[in-house]
Amino acid sequence: MRRPVLLVIAHGSRDPRHAATVHDLVRRVRSLRPGLRVETGFLDFNIPSVKGVLESLDAEGVRDVVALPLLLTRAFHAKADIPAVLAEAPRRMRIRQAGVLGPSPLLLAALERRLYEAGLTPADKSSTGVVLASAGSSDPEAIAVIADIAREWRHTGWCAVRPAFASASLPRTEQAVGELRALGCARVAVAPYVLAPGFLPDRIARGAAEADVLADVLGPAPEVARVLLERYNEARVPLFAAVGA
């Protein structure tokens, strides 16, 4: 039996860097699993749309799809927008929505990769405070997850880790940077917990003006690609169990 097609569902943005980064990430996923068909669909702003990709796959005779939200937390898009789009898929298709990417130890590893690429070294950890800067959400579950990740990351040896949000919630990045300065950290680094460039990541960057180090977005980091494949594997097993039942 053929493996289900992996459909990566990204939010989309007017900022061309967003789609370019998503495509870079998908190319890395394909390189890690050459025999797996991976398609990309966007909820808004960019093409192809999720609906368009599903209709094209249906016309080819594809019946099994794992739809993977390119999201770090389980907030509104994962709970409402994506299920609504998938509900409109051709009826002959069997679609299973995979879990969001976070939290995952691999994402923490990707965050550290970006900080080291920005100039830090493992020897800097004990004297460096880190701002875990996410896009933000009005969903309390998503906010709680970011706080939990910050606490977990602190226990890996950083001087301190503070969560921050570019929208919807507080503190903002610049406030968290100030808190870490006041705490006495020798240096302050900002780690954007976002997947691709865009309006909110740019706001995070502006808020990092007083920090010593600003890491890049997670983007096509190899650890992120591995998380995508983990979520795909987790979702496809129940799908095949249901088909064979």
Side-chain angles (χ1 to χ4, degrees):
M1 186 177 291
R2 290 184 178 180
R3 286 181 290 186
V5 170
L6 170 56
L7 172 58
V8 177
I9 300 178
H11 182 273
S13 171
R14 293 186 178 90
D15 189 322
R17 296 173 299 167
H18 174 90
T21 302
V22 170
H23 291 310
D24 286 344
L25 175 58
V26 169
R27 279 191 288 270
R28 187 178 286 274
V29 172
R30 291 187 182 120
S31 73
L32 292 177
R33 191 75 61 86
L36 175 63
R37 181 172 179 180
V38 187
E39 299 291 342
T40 308
F42 295 90
L43 291 175
D44 205 354
F45 301 117
N46 302 106
I47 54 173
S49 67
V50 175
K51 181 180 180 182
V53 174
L54 290 173
E55 290 175 348
S56 295
L57 290 173
D58 178 62
E60 292 180 32
V62 172
R63 295 293 171 259
D64 295 314
V65 174
V66 169
L68 195 156
L70 198 60
L71 301 168
L72 294 170
T73 58
R74 189 172 175 273
F76 182 79
H77 293 305
K79 294 177 180 178
D81 284 352
I82 291 175
V85 171
L86 297 180
E88 298 177 354
R91 294 191 176 186
R92 293 174 294 185
M93 302 187 81
R94 294 179 290 266
I95 302 176
R96 187 171 185 89
Q97 182 175 328
V100 298
L101 303 186
S104 167
L106 285 170
L107 294 177
L108 285 181
L111 286 166
E112 295 210 0
R113 170 190 290 274
R114 292 301 187 226
L115 286 170
Y116 297 150
E117 289 170 349
L120 293 179
T121 70
D124 296 324
K125 290 183 74 168
S126 63
S127 58
T128 301
V130 179
V131 178
L132 179 67
S134 75
S137 173
S138 58
D139 188 308
E141 178 185 349
I143 297 303
V145 166
I146 299 300
D148 287 344
I149 292 171
R151 283 191 291 269
E152 178 182 349
W153 204 16
R154 163 68 181 84
H155 294 314
T156 66
W158 296 101
C159 175
V161 180
R162 293 286 188 274
F165 307 94
S167 67
S169 305
L170 295 174
R172 295 286 184 258
T173 302
E174 55 269 30
Q175 293 172 308
V177 169
E179 290 176 9
L180 292 172
R181 291 278 187 219
L183 192 63
C185 298
R187 67 186 64 77
V188 176
V190 174
Y193 190 58
V194 293
L195 288 166
F199 177 75
L200 293 178
D202 283 350
R203 181 179 288 178
I204 290 172
R206 290 193 297 272
E210 299 301 319
D212 301 294
V213 174
L214 170 63
D216 199 358
V217 299
L218 294 174
E223 297 87 353
V224 178
R226 288 168 57 196
V227 175
L228 264 71
L229 290 173
E230 282 189 356
R231 298 294 178 258
Y232 170 79
N233 290 335
E234 292 164 359
R236 70 184 286 258
V237 172
L239 187 150
F240 273 112
V243 171

